[in-house]
Amino acid sequence: MHLFRLRLILALVGCVTLVSVASTYFEVLAYKHMLREELQRRARWMGAGMQAEIRAAMEQNDGAALAALAAKWRAQEGVLGLGIYDVQGKQLAYSGDAGVLQAVRAEPVEKSLRKGADEGLFGSAGGVDWLEESIPLHDGNTLRGALVLMSDAGSIRSQGYDLWRRTFWRILALVVLIAGVTFLMVRWFLMRPLTRMAERLRRLRIGYVEDQGEAKEGREQGIFSPLAREVETMAESLIAARAAAEAEARLRDAGEHLWTAERLGVHMRESSGTSRIFVVSNREPYVHVKQGRETVCLVPASGLVTAIEPVLRACDGVWVASGSGNADAENVDEFDRLRVPPDDPRYTLRRVWLSAEEESRYYEGFANEGLWPLCHIAHTRPIFRAADWECYQRVNERFANAVLEEMEGCQNPVVFVQDYHFALLPRLVKAARPDARVAIFWHIPWPNPEAFGICPWPAALLDGLLGADLIGFHIPLHCNNFLATVDRTVESRTDREHMTVKRHGHITAVRPHPVSVAFEGPATPVTGLEDDAEMAAEKAEVRNRLLADYGVRAECLTLGVDRMDYTKGIVERLLAVEELLEQHPWQRERTTMVQIAAPSRTRIPSYADLRRQVEETTERINQRYQTAHWKPIVLIVRQCNHDEVNQWYRAADVCLVTSLHDGMNLVAKEFVAARDDEDGVLVLSRFTGAAVELRDALLVNPYDTAGVANAIHVGLEMNRQERRMRMRRMRRQVMEHNIYRWAASVLGALRELRIETNGSQEAFGRTPDPMPEKETDDSHLRLA
């Protein structure tokens, strides 16, 4: 590094010196030119003053007078010699020493007499510099001769030397200054950031955990920020790889099998063979948005992205999704494709464009004002409009066409469709590509047949879904509801024992595959009372810091994290907190509930009404109970990033997940995964899919306000030993059934299907049942 600094300083000094010398050289030339012009003007001025006397003496042909005039003007300062010549160039008189006379050249005199104009010539001899200026002598229009002045030009050389000398000292001072400034700049602006960056990477490498301030300071490295981010990403990747290897070693030692992103990728690469995977979802995994003059690529917070990306990376798959970013169209090729992730392209993202009307009718209208409340028993009336249904069909067809375009030339493709936005797409894809293996996962509940019958187009929706080879739900109840709905609505044969539906000669398997979160490794176990005390102190510090931002002090923290959605039971939860404070007054000024409610579907009236109701209920309860430094409820209505939510999870004593109806609700599993201190209590609605797996939570009926209030009280008063026992069992459940295992199970079940493209099909090793399909009386629901 010292050699680098020396080379940099020498290079700068050399460049500055070269530029300064070149600049001074041209400056001296210009200065000399100016002095010469000034000397010539002075000589011509003197010659003009002598002309009258010299002409008079020449008219009288008086040689003595000419000699006297020459001697007179020779006495002027700076004149080395003076000569008078007739029109033939013959010297008539001269004054000056012999050396100067010998230096007089004939060319200026001849040119001056020939042209009738002044002529000058600079010369030097014997260390003397002069200017020979020949000035014609005119008498009216008649040329009488020429006057030659020899002026001293030695001052021009000496002044040039002076200028070079002054410039030398200036260059020397500049070189010293630049060397000093360069040394300081290298030291402060290059060496210090590089040293800090190297030290930070060393700490990351050895596993040092930074706080937020250190991480932010480490990323802000000035001109080295892009390099710091890239190297940091590389270091974090190496750390993650080392952690994954250590976790795998621990699991092998314990005889367990934990699914990780790396294991999922390897598993799919080895098992998929020549198959290529195509994922279809409404939400895209990467969004391009404009921030000022720059375009940035963002990754939306989504468990689906976490689960599916390792699969697509391993198989170089294709993700088909709706383009939603305001800069998305500027970052695709002519086929609406781009390779992602941006920093390490491994698979293709195909964007489908929807107009504002299509987005409103397909997504907000039919999907979220119709199917969403239809499938969630939350006592919100679904709204079905014929125009929305028509738009929903068109959008499904457009996405199906995009998938089919991407599948051209692909052998044995696998299509994985996501959620209720694309109920018609499986049939459309399967009709065009019978050889494709098609699965759809329904991420929300499936209602009972009576509730589903509210939909005006039940047969069309079911027929679209039954085009899939595999339909996945979270829990067996949803599978049974779906089979019952199919049994009652369309012409088909359902097999409850094997969970299949046969329709038009095609067999669809229906399976429960509970989705989860990315819990990649077991926590470090809590070992003793000292660890307990340390973790309790850390938890209290985080809680106090988080609450201080809202001007609140509290001993206990109750947390709710949801989208602002009427299915989440937020209002009922707030009323339960009010009931808790009423029935247990000692919890006042002791317990604060923080409700994070991310805005969602804000243009739908029912969601706007819900937000207003939540805010009014919060304000009413706070006005009733709050004091100077405490209030019972803190409402945060904004999007919070993953790290921020994780801090709230770790600081909470009780997490409330009291959905009125939910497919799974991953908040419950996120809370469990975040609690590596094996502490905290989960109060969970029995109407969520998570309640089937997390049996150690305090299960409640969210409609029972007093029951929820009592569960909160029990959770706040529960002893540490019981909290740890419950949390440890839930963490093991989430760890062993994480998001990667979910993706592997769904795609593994789809891969095991035996599909024949000649019209017959075998499912999961069963031979086709020769029994005819069951006839129904619902002929008015059948599709042609």
Side-chain angles (χ1 to χ4, degrees), residues 321-334:
S322 173
S324 57
N326 55 22
D328 276 356
E330 302 170 8
N331 290 276
V332 294
D333 61 16
E334 65 272 23

Side-chain angles (χ1 to χ4, degrees), residues 274-278 315-318 403-415 433 435-436:
T274 59
S275 300
R276 199 177 185 195
I277 297 179
F278 300 83
C315 305
D316 190 16
V318 178
V403 174
L404 292 171
E405 288 176 7
E406 298 298 324
M407 289 167 54
E408 287 182 5
C410 177
Q411 299 296 323
N412 306 314
V414 174
V415 182
R433 290 292 300 268
D435 62 319

Side-chain angles (χ1 to χ4, degrees), residues 104-210:
V104 174
R105 298 183 181 182
E107 296 91 305
V109 177
E110 293 174 356
K111 288 182 180 180
S112 176
L113 292 172
R114 187 171 62 251
K115 297 179 179 179
D118 296 349
E119 286 291 333
L121 179 67
F122 284 90
S124 63
V128 179
D129 297 324
W130 68 82
L131 166 65
E132 179 183 345
E133 187 72 23
S134 178
I135 304 167
L137 300 171
H138 292 278
D139 183 9
N141 294 327
T142 304
L143 181 66
R144 294 290 186 183
L147 171 65
V148 175
L149 285 173
M150 300 291 289
S151 302
D152 185 6
S155 62
I156 296 177
R157 182 189 296 269
S158 62
Q159 290 186 53
Y161 287 153
D162 288 341
L163 182 59
W164 273 111
R165 187 166 47 253
R166 291 194 304 271
T167 303
F168 169 78
W169 292 111
R170 187 178 65 200
I171 293 174
L172 181 61
L174 190 61
V175 165
V176 172
L177 179 63
I178 288 176
V181 171
T182 303
F183 178 80
L184 293 176
M185 288 182 66
V186 169
R187 183 181 181 88
W188 288 95
F189 297 104
L190 293 179
M191 296 299 299
R192 286 190 68 186
L194 282 174
T195 303
R196 287 163 55 195
M197 184 168 63
E199 175 61 20
R200 181 163 183 260
L201 292 175
R202 185 190 67 81
R203 289 186 296 173
L204 287 173
R205 177 176 54 81
I206 64 177
Y208 174 78
V209 179
E210 300 176 321

